[in-house]
Amino acid sequence: MSTYTNFKVETDADGIALVTWDMPDKSMNVFTVEVMDEIEAIIDQVVADSAVKGVVFTSGKSTFSGGADLTMLKGMFSMIEEERVKDPANATKKLFDAAGRMTWLWRKLETCGKPWVSAINGTCMGGALELSLACHGRVAANSNAVKIALPEVKVGIFPGAGGTQRVSRLTDAQSALQMMTTGQTLTASRAKAMGLVHQVAEPGELINAAKQMIKDGLKPVAPWDEKGFKVPGGGIWTPAAAQLWPAATAILRRETQGNYPGALAILKCVYEGLQVPFDTALRIEQRYFTEVLQTTEAFSMIRSLFVSMQELGKGARRPAGIPKTEFKKVGVVGAGFMGAGIAYVTAKAGIPVVLIDRDQEAADKGKAHSEGLVKAAVSKGRMTKEDAEALLALITPTPDYNQLADADLVVEAVFEDRNVKKAVTEAVEAVLPEGSIFASNTSTLPITGLAENSKRPEQFIGVHFFSPVDKMMLTEVILGEMTGDKAIAVALDYVAAIKKTPIVVNDTRGFYVNRCVFRYINEAYDMLIEGVPATMIENAAKMAGMPVGPLSLNDEVAVDLSYKIMKASIADLGPASVKPEHMALVEKMVDVLGRLGRKSKAGFYEYPDKPAKKFLWPGLKELYPQKAASDVDVNVLKQRLLATIALEAARTMEEDIVTDPREADVGSILGFGFAPYTGGTLSYIDGMGVKNFVALCEKLAAEYGDHFKPTPLLLDMAEKGETFYGRFNPYGDEAKAA
């Protein structure tokens, strides 16, 4: 047989061709134009070879495939822009054809006349699952490593290579819609129960099981190509469907607020596609996919949540020329909630960690946090007992600083007090090896000031985690004025090792994420003081695409923390740094009413005992004269909440705190859930156009205060017709900045 770059094809004595996908120099198989060309050539070859009775398609790597390659997606969007300029009349037609390449290649496989079986040995997502669904048989390994999903909706698009049509013909419509509109990840057993996989086999028997399906006479015809095929559940025109579809659209509206065109397109594709022949249904899907690809939401989400996240995760901001650090030991000082969480994610990455606190009891309590997490993971089947024991064995709780004498990195996670942090810095540096790095997990205190306590400020850096550490994927790496390149490289190597996404920011009060978060909360304070009903504030935030309202978020971070930050700002920057009305509100909540947030079961919300749910504190209505709901424009509330955050992000770029627009966008989404459909704070501005954003801000400033006034940078960019990704091009050349 022919030689391929990305595939190996071997035919056994039974005439079964084993096609093994194993891309050279890549840790995971991904779809590129070359890969699809080779798959098409393999289809043609096995069809032409009478000795081949069937095909088993599998991966030569530890996982199957995560889907499309970054460069292919970038190329798709570059093509859209180029064609709109060169040939606007045919731009959509060319995009339609490009979008359908994978669709019709999988259809060619499905109708080639010979049986194909997909042997799924690990992560199988996106286009890889769509390829597998086009195969006539599917066998998945009985392993926790198997993760099956169509997650495209999470990056602004939808399964557009036959996914919406095949899933909805293999399982009931309700399960199909839930899987695709949420990007739900399935285990092998769940996929089998849904009818998406035919068989689950032990990993060592995966290929044999796949071959046996062919030997047992697997028909090379998809169910929907057989005469008399009926959709599971009876299709669209049934009493059950009459109940499902109105509910499905209502649920989608509730969950997405109409902000995600890709999610709505899934419903349209399934509803329309199930009423027509399969090839027509694929055309319908291709049409909607082409339409969604041209939306601002798809462009922005793919850029931030797929392309930029991967680039940052792979070290886009790492200084060149510094050897990668292989961590033999990491120290964590402070075994409270944050320090315990940092120790857990470090051990989970397979790195030995010393967890230090003032005495053995406190250190043991910190390790108990990890014990609780692994116990829960084992009970849910997400971790084996052996893996749990191995993880816990990597954590050494102790009050002895001498155990840091051979640490590569020490992360300080003690109380937010300069004197406490000073004492810890001095104690650690007394034993820390000369070339090791010291990191502070501070959320509010500037790194440059903390580094003054260090004898080696060039090796002092901020690594700001978010709570809860085991779930939050973002980490801010903060540079002090003296921080050196080695410290940056080691910090980024550590963040990569624990599988989190880093953003690199320069030193400032609140860094990047907290500056944006407190602008969001402060705008809610303004609204409350104006008499806007609290319910409208919270609902408007969710309608704007935020995961939680600003008052709920303030309760989570603690109202008394807001109070402390305000007092610190006044002490350091003067009274003008905090609005007196804000101080009066928070002072009353904390000092007079004792409403500190969720931790005290009383903040802007009330927190009754479970199973009852939290609810807004009725007393909020008594704090300020209330406006009638009819006198409040919800759209203006939405604009205010998003614009005030985006303005703060623009200020951080202007002040050289954030220097890469990718980090502003990714940081805002991962850090506090800034309306993901926008692609992040700066993509929100670029998406509407800087000129339009400036006009919106000027309108809001005239009505609601000078904090909405556009900055000099924004005014200059509006005048020049620039974008953030153009002016602060992270790639260095315009061709890649699209």
Side-chain angles (χ1 to χ4, degrees):
M1 284 199 170
S2 301
T3 302
Y4 300 96
T5 302
N6 302 290
F7 297 91
K8 183 166 68 174
V9 182
E10 304 166 291
T11 305
D12 66 14
D14 295 313
I16 299 173
L18 177 63
V19 177
T20 305
W21 187 8
D22 194 357
M23 298 180 78
D25 305 320
K26 283 193 179 289
S27 59
M28 181 182 281
N29 294 321
V30 290
F31 288 107
T32 63
V33 172
E34 181 186 52
V35 164
M36 290 194 291
D37 288 344
E38 290 190 353
I39 290 174
E40 185 157 25
I42 291 168
I43 295 170
D44 291 339
Q45 188 170 334
V46 298
V47 167
D49 190 343
S50 59
V52 175
K53 308 303 180 189
V55 180
V56 171
F57 189 98
T58 194
S59 167
K61 300 187 186 296
S62 60
T63 193
F64 194 84
S65 169
D69 181 46
L70 288 179
T71 53
M72 194 167 80
L73 282 171
K74 278 186 177 179
M76 184 86 77
F77 282 108
S78 295
M79 188 202 78
I80 294 172
E81 294 305 313
E82 288 169 12
E83 290 299 327
R84 280 176 179 163
V85 174
K86 286 193 308 185
D87 190 1
N90 289 318
T92 302
K93 173 67 169 65
K94 288 187 176 180
L95 178 61
F96 180 80
D97 292 339
R101 171 75 203 283
M102 194 178 277
T103 295
W104 299 106
L105 179 55
W106 298 167
R107 185 61 172 152
K108 180 177 181 176
L109 181 157
E110 188 172 57
T111 57
C112 74
K114 292 189 177 181
W116 284 62
V117 179
S118 176
I120 301 168
N121 63 322
T123 296
C124 180
M125 294 190 178
L129 179 54
E130 290 176 299
L131 179 153
S132 298
L133 294 173
C135 291
H136 308 96
R138 288 166 293 284
V139 183
N142 182 20
S143 164
N144 287 337
V146 172
K147 294 178 174 62
I148 295 171
L150 293 171
E152 290 89 341
V153 73
K154 294 180 179 180
V155 292
I157 50 177
F158 68 90
T164 65
Q165 300 311 310
R166 291 188 177 91
V167 171
S168 60
R169 285 168 170 77
L170 288 169
T171 194
D172 64 278
Q174 183 173 337
S175 297
L177 293 176
Q178 183 177 353
M179 175 189 176
M180 292 186 287
T181 58
T182 63
Q184 176 185 18
T185 298
L186 308 175
T187 61
S189 58
R190 176 61 184 146
K192 183 176 185 294
M194 286 175 63
L196 303 184
V197 164
H198 296 98
Q199 190 178 337
V200 176
E202 292 306 309
E205 289 299 311
L206 184 65
I207 302 302
N208 289 338
K211 287 185 174 183
Q212 192 62 47
M213 286 186 77
I214 295 171
K215 293 177 187 176
D216 289 344
L218 179 68
K219 290 178 71 173
V221 181
W224 37 88
D225 289 326
E226 301 229 57
K227 191 174 181 180
F229 169 73
K230 285 185 170 45
V231 174
I236 298 298
W237 303 108
T238 64
Q243 291 186 315
L244 169 66
W245 286 96
T249 52
I251 291 168
L252 186 71
R253 178 74 191 181
R254 183 192 70 199
E255 296 299 317
T256 68
Q257 300 294 332
N259 291 323
Y260 295 85
L264 181 59
I266 292 170
L267 265 65
K268 292 178 178 178
C269 286
V270 175
Y271 186 80
E272 295 177 27
L274 289 181
Q275 301 181 62
V276 295
F278 190 72
D279 284 340
T280 306
L282 290 179
R283 289 284 178 194
I284 289 170
E285 182 191 74
Q286 187 179 355
R287 183 189 72 199
Y288 279 121
F289 192 66
T290 304
E291 183 181 294
V292 168
L293 272 178
Q294 296 177 84
T295 63
T296 301
E297 291 86 351
F299 174 80
S300 300
M301 288 182 74
I302 285 177
R303 179 171 65 187
S304 293
L305 293 172
F306 191 76
V307 178
S308 295
M309 267 186 65
Q310 289 201 32
E311 289 170 346
L312 295 175
K314 290 176 180 176
R317 295 294 310 281
R318 190 183 187 279
I322 298 173
K324 183 180 176 184
T325 303
E326 299 294 339
F327 295 94
K328 297 180 180 64
K329 182 190 281 189
V330 168
V332 178
V333 182
F337 185 66
M338 290 299 291
I342 296 167
Y344 171 78
V345 297
T346 305
K348 192 178 180 185
I351 302 169
V353 55
V354 175
L355 181 59
I356 290 181
D357 214 305
R358 63 185 179 275
D359 54 42
Q360 190 65 47
E361 184 181 357
D364 288 340
K365 187 177 178 182
K367 182 171 180 176
H369 175 76
S370 293
E371 291 166 352
L373 289 173
V374 299
K375 183 179 179 181
V378 170
S379 69
K380 293 174 182 175
R382 294 174 183 166
M383 187 181 288
T384 66
K385 189 177 179 183
E386 293 73 23
D387 288 342
E389 290 172 352
L391 187 156
L392 292 173
L394 291 171
I395 302 174
T396 303
T398 178
D400 184 9
Y401 278 81
N402 288 315
Q403 294 214 31
L404 301 176
D406 56 348
D408 304 297
L409 168 74
V410 171
V411 181
E412 165 270 299
V414 298
F415 187 65
E416 288 285 279
D417 180 282
R418 286 184 174 89
N419 291 328
V420 175
K421 290 183 181 291
K422 180 177 187 294
V424 167
T425 302
E426 291 169 349
V428 170
E429 287 191 351
V431 298
L432 194 64
E434 192 173 319
S436 296
I437 302 303
F438 184 95
S440 176
N441 173 55
T442 180
S443 59
T444 56
L445 300 175
I447 292 300
T448 301
L450 294 178
E452 291 173 1
N453 302 316
S454 173
K455 296 176 183 175
R456 38 191 178 180
E458 72 283 355
Q459 290 166 228
F460 194 106
I461 196 166
V463 179
H464 178 210
F465 290 86
F466 296 84
S467 182
V469 178
D470 59 298
K471 292 180 180 175
M472 296 294 283
M473 295 311 300
L474 183 72
T475 304
E476 278 182 307
V477 174
I478 305 117
L479 312 185
E481 289 178 7
M482 301 287 287
T483 301
D485 281 355
K486 182 184 177 183
I488 301 170
V490 171
L492 290 175
D493 290 343
Y494 172 62
V495 173
I498 60 174
K499 295 182 170 59
K500 295 196 181 293
T501 302
I503 62 170
V504 179
V505 303
N506 289 318
D507 202 12
T508 185
R509 181 181 297 276
F511 315 127
Y512 171 66
V513 169
N514 282 345
R515 277 182 57 165
C516 291
V517 164
F518 282 104
R519 273 298 340 139
Y520 180 50
I521 291 170
N522 286 347
E523 198 60 33
Y525 293 167
D526 281 342
M527 291 174 178
L528 276 178
I529 293 162
E530 291 164 21
V532 177
T535 304
M536 294 190 74
I537 298 171
E538 298 292 270
N539 287 341
K542 291 176 184 175
M543 291 168 70
M546 300 297 289
V548 294
L551 301 177
S552 176
L553 181 60
N554 200 181
D555 273 3
E556 295 296 331
V557 301
V559 184
D560 61 326
L561 177 59
S562 296
Y563 191 27
K564 288 175 186 172
I565 291 170
M566 285 180 182
K567 288 193 286 188
S569 295
I570 291 171
D572 292 350
L573 305 174
S577 63
V578 175
K579 284 187 178 180
E581 303 93 329
H582 291 183
M583 178 59 88
L585 168 61
V586 175
E587 189 174 30
K588 184 170 185 177
M589 290 286 288
V590 174
D591 285 348
V592 178
L593 301 170
R595 305 190 69 85
L596 311 183
R598 178 184 277 277
K599 65 182 181 181
S600 68
K601 292 194 172 183
F604 291 102
Y605 282 75
E606 290 282 349
Y607 297 90
D609 293 334
K610 291 182 178 180
K613 293 182 178 180
K614 70 178 185 181
F615 56 90
L616 278 161
W617 175 46
L620 285 174
K621 297 175 185 176
E622 311 303 323
L623 295 181
Y624 304 99
Q626 295 284 287
K627 288 183 177 180
S630 57
D631 293 334
V632 180
D633 188 330
V634 172
N635 286 324
V636 172
L637 297 183
K638 290 161 59 178
Q639 290 172 343
R640 288 172 64 180
L641 291 167
L642 295 187
T644 194
I645 299 170
L647 255 174
E648 192 65 22
R651 289 186 193 104
T652 65
M653 292 291 291
E654 189 160 3
E655 296 166 17
D656 204 34
I657 303 305
V658 179
T659 59
D660 187 325
R662 294 174 298 182
E663 293 178 311
D665 279 342
V666 171
S668 66
I669 295 174
L670 295 188
F672 57 95
F674 182 84
Y677 69 92
T678 66
T681 47
L682 299 186
S683 284
Y684 168 71
I685 298 174
D686 280 359
M688 74 166 67
V690 177
K691 190 173 182 179
N692 291 333
F693 182 72
V694 164
L696 171 63
C697 289
E698 287 173 339
K699 182 180 175 184
L700 293 174
E703 186 72 25
Y704 301 104
D706 287 351
H707 63 286
F708 277 113
K709 277 189 174 179
T711 68
L713 170 67
L714 285 166
L715 293 170
D716 186 56
M717 289 174 63
E719 186 179 338
K720 294 175 179 174
E722 293 179 328
T723 65
F724 277 97
Y725 278 83
R727 181 155 177 159
F728 301 94
N729 184 354
Y731 300 104
D733 68 82
E734 290 302 322
K736 291 183 179 179

